[in-house]
Each structure stands twice: as structure tokens, then as C-alpha cells.
Amino acid sequence: MKDTKSKKMQTLSEWVIAGSLVGQYVFTLESVENEFPQMSVENRRVSLSRLVRRGEIVSPWRGFYVTVPTEYKLKGEVPPVFWMDALMKHLGRDYYVSLLSAAEFYGAAHQRPMTFSVMVQGTALRSGVKNGYELVFMRKESLPMDFVRTFPTQMGTLNVSSPELTALDLVDCQEKVGGLNRVSTVLSELVEQMDWEHIDSKLLSRYSAPVVQRLGYILEKILEETNQADTLLRKAKDSGIAMRPVPLKLGMECKNCDADRRWQILKNMKIEIDEI
């Protein structure tokens, strides 16, 4: 029989520690309220604040808490890969780790990203520094979850965009990641993980034609991945994507630019890949 008396005498700190011992590292304000109904709102606030100050827990989101594992106590910061999936479930959101943060999972970030990028479905979430990490949230009305992979973490799993989805997002959001030179450098490392044969209109139709054109041009002309470029072009045509002349670099004039006829790209910049 459960000892309800000992449960009532258990402190919040003891409850947090007990949870971590059985692998329960995240909890919410609601769970604290349910576990300690006799505790006043002010006492809960003070107790949680005290645990934060002592470095026992962190709160990367309002009403959401993470018990700091032993390996992170010295730094006092718990990386988003540890708790992001639990947070998204708490918020009831579909999501996937994206852009350079996703590329890092495939060994293709080139340099460790300064931000942790997450694509979410539905209303926007506020980006900012959370628990020492800069989080960047982007939103879409719906996410192509069929093209999202799951990676194991200490807490379970984490949704990460597939190499092909990552490539499309990188080109689509080129200005957010440092421009096409950075994008091309990352793609040069990511390309070995790509397989466009299993990609169809369910994914490609979510992006504008210029995104597909720029990606195809980079694959073929910059990275010399002719086979991958051929497959992408065939898939684009099968998806009904209509190509028209577009500049390679956004926001830059293109007077008398040379044009790539195959991808309908106006070459208004020279892409340079960083040494790997």
C-alpha cells in the first residue's frame, strides 16, 4: 500500500531528486501543483526559485522545468537536445530541429551553430536566450513530418529534419544562416547523406520554385553532384514546378548576368566554399 503520509512529508527538492533517479528529468508547474496541493502559490514559487538558484533545476520555458543532470551541474546549463522534445510535447506542438542545428546531426554543420533552430507548427513561439542557449523558432502552417527523422537522446528521441528537408530549408532561409556561401559549405558535407529518389511532390511542392532551382544549381554547378541534381530536376518536373529566371542571391541586382539555362539561375554572385 502506498505510504501517503511519507508522500505528504516529502519536500519539493526531494521529489525532484527522486524523479531524476528514475529518469524523470522534466516536470511542469502543473505537476508540482498536483503533487503538492497543500503548498501555497507563494511557497511553490519560492521553493522553485530556490532550486533554480542552487543549480538543481533550470526553467527554459515558463512553467516548464528540467532537473540538471550531474554532467551539466558545473556549467549549470542543459542543452536543448536534452529537453526540447519534452517541451514540444508539453506545448502540444509538432516540430523538428532545422537548419544548421539539423545539419550538425549529420556531421555537416562545419562549425558548431551559435543558435539552436527549431521549426514549429502553428502559432509563433518567441525566440531568445533560454538557459544560456539562443533558441530560434520558425513556424509553418503544417510540417512535412514524413520527411523528419528521430534521433535518440538521453531523454528519449528528438525530431530532426531529413538531409533533403534540411537542404531545402537551408536554401530557403539562406539569410538566416549566413548566406549562400555558408549554405553551400554545409551542403558539401551534407550531400553524401542525401537521396532524392524517395522525395516527391509532398515535399517539393511546399517550397517555391526558386528554392528548388537554387538548390539544384548548387548541387550541379558548385558541388558537381550531377546525379543528385539530375534526380532533383526530374522530381521537380514530376511535381509540376515551373522554373523561370531567378537571381542566385536574394536582394542583389542582376544586370547582364550570365544565366544557367538548365536551372534558370541568373548568376549574380560567385559562390565560395570554405575549406573543410
Side-chain angles (χ1 to χ4, degrees):
M1 215 175 147
K2 195 171 184 179
D3 187 352
T4 55
K5 183 177 180 181
S6 62
K7 176 181 176 181
K8 290 181 180 179
M9 295 177 61
Q10 189 180 42
T11 66
L12 179 56
S13 178
E14 290 169 340
W15 177 73
V16 167
I17 293 172
S20 67
L21 292 176
V22 294
Q24 297 175 358
Y25 284 95
V26 300
F27 62 94
T28 64
L29 181 59
E30 182 181 7
S31 64
V32 174
E33 293 169 349
N34 292 336
E35 191 70 20
F36 299 93
Q38 78 285 1
M39 187 180 291
S40 69
V41 173
E42 180 61 18
N43 283 343
R44 280 195 295 267
R45 185 190 68 78
V46 171
S47 296
L48 288 168
S49 297
R50 184 182 299 117
L51 291 175
V52 171
R53 288 196 306 272
R54 281 160 41 182
E56 295 186 24
I57 65 174
V58 295
S59 180
W61 205 263
R62 185 174 182 178
F64 179 85
Y65 301 89
V66 181
T67 305
V68 180
T70 302
E71 61 267 35
Y72 298 116
K73 281 189 179 296
L74 184 61
K75 190 175 182 182
E77 299 171 354
V78 186
V81 294
F82 190 88
W83 46 262
M84 184 58 67
D85 187 73
L87 174 61
M88 291 296 108
K89 287 176 179 174
H90 169 62
L91 298 176
R93 297 294 191 93
D94 280 340
Y95 80 97
Y96 63 81
V97 178
S98 62
L99 302 178
L100 299 177
S101 300
E104 188 176 14
F105 278 83
Y106 302 104
H110 186 46
Q111 298 173 348
R112 179 170 290 276
M114 301 298 292
T115 61
F116 192 81
S117 301
V118 181
M119 196 74 70
V120 297
Q121 182 169 309
T123 56
L125 296 178
R126 180 174 294 182
S127 300
V129 178
K130 309 288 186 180
N131 180 226
Y133 292 86
E134 185 177 355
L135 302 183
V136 176
F137 291 106
M138 295 156 288
R139 65 171 294 277
K140 290 183 178 181
E141 289 298 328
S142 64
L143 301 183
M145 298 305 293
D146 289 345
F147 302 95
V148 172
R149 298 183 181 181
T150 56
F151 280 75
T153 68
Q154 290 172 279
M155 285 288 293
T157 60
L158 189 69
N159 293 342
V160 180
S161 57
S162 67
E164 300 81 17
L165 176 54
T166 302
L168 287 161
D169 280 343
L170 284 169
V171 175
D172 191 27
C173 303
Q174 57 180 274
E175 297 304 319
K176 295 182 182 294
V177 297
L180 281 182
N181 286 333
R182 181 79 185 278
V183 168
S184 299
T185 299
V186 174
L187 292 180
S188 71
E189 299 180 85
L190 185 63
V191 70
E192 292 183 2
Q193 305 284 341
M194 297 181 199
D195 180 8
W196 294 97
E197 284 293 347
H198 72 281
I199 300 300
D200 54 27
S201 60
K202 286 191 298 183
L203 180 60
L204 293 180
S205 62
R206 291 173 173 268
Y207 295 86
S208 66
V211 170
V212 178
Q213 290 170 244
R214 293 182 181 110
L215 175 56
Y217 174 83
I218 292 171
L219 287 175
E220 181 175 348
K221 305 299 183 179
I222 307 302
L223 304 183
E224 299 181 345
E225 294 287 343
T226 304
N227 290 338
Q228 298 229 30
D230 288 346
T231 304
L232 177 59
L233 184 60
R234 173 166 51 84
K235 295 286 185 173
K237 290 179 177 178
D238 291 344
S239 301
I241 293 176
M243 298 185 182
R244 297 181 178 84
V246 295
L248 180 57
K249 179 176 175 60
L250 293 169
M252 179 183 290
E253 290 187 10
C254 188
K255 295 180 179 179
N256 302 318
C257 291
D258 291 336
D260 179 84
R261 292 184 179 181
R262 192 176 195 218
W263 292 100
Q264 295 291 294
I265 289 292
L266 303 175
K267 296 181 280 187
N268 62 344
M269 70 168 290
K270 181 179 180 181
I271 292 180
E272 297 180 352
I273 296 179
D274 295 341
E275 292 185 8
I276 298 172

